[in-house]
Amino acid sequence: MGRCPVEDFLNSLSSKQAQKVTWVLRIIEELDLVPAQYLKKLPGTDDLWEVRVQVSRAQFRLLGFLDGDGNLVLLHAFTKKTAKIPRKEIVLAEKRKIDYMRQGGTDE
C-alpha cells in the first residue's frame, strides 16, 4: 500500500482539529447541497475542490476532485497561512490527480 499524504496530515493534527476535519468531511458526504463555507470549487484549476476547515485561528485546506461517482477524492492537505492558496499547493494536488488517474483511479 502506498503513502497517503492526507492521512499523514490528519494524523499530525491535534485531537480537536482532527475531529473538526472529520465533522466537515461528514457534512460534505451527507448533504446534497454543501455550503461554500465547507466546500468550494477552485477556479483556474483542473476541476479541483477545496474542503475548508477552521478550528479556532487555524485554517486547514484539503484539495481533491469529484470522481465519476460523485465521490470526493482527497489529494492534498495543508495548513493555510495566507489569504490565497499558494500556487505550489495547487500544483501538487494537480500532480497527484494525474498520478491517481494514471493508476486507474486506485489508491494502491
Side-chain angles (χ1 to χ4, degrees):
M1 186 190 304
R3 208 176 128 252
C4 183
V6 174
E7 186 176 352
D8 293 344
F9 176 80
L10 294 176
N11 288 337
S12 75
L13 300 178
S14 72
S15 176
K16 178 182 176 183
Q17 293 168 332
Q19 283 179 338
K20 179 77 180 266
V21 171
T22 302
W23 180 79
V24 170
L25 291 173
R26 196 171 300 123
I27 284 174
I28 292 168
E29 182 178 25
E30 293 175 359
L31 293 180
D32 290 332
L33 186 58
V34 179
Q37 172 185 355
Y38 301 120
L39 183 66
K40 180 180 166 192
K41 187 172 185 312
L42 287 175
T45 65
D46 183 21
D47 202 30
L48 289 182
W49 288 77
E50 164 190 36
V51 175
R52 309 167 84 179
V53 182
Q54 183 162 342
V55 183
S56 299
R57 300 185 129 215
Q59 293 186 50
F60 305 112
R61 296 296 187 262
L62 292 81
L63 304 182
F65 70 98
L66 298 173
D67 71 6
D69 296 327
N71 296 313
L72 181 62
V73 178
L74 297 175
L75 303 163
H76 182 49
F78 60 97
T79 301
K80 186 170 178 253
K81 298 177 182 175
T82 60
K84 292 178 95 175
I85 294 179
R87 186 76 195 141
K88 69 176 187 165
E89 306 292 359
I90 293 171
V91 168
L92 180 57
E94 288 177 332
K95 179 188 177 306
R96 288 180 179 162
K97 179 180 178 184
I98 291 167
D99 291 345
Y100 178 89
M101 301 306 276
R102 280 189 185 140
Q103 294 174 13
T106 64
D107 59 0
E108 295 184 35

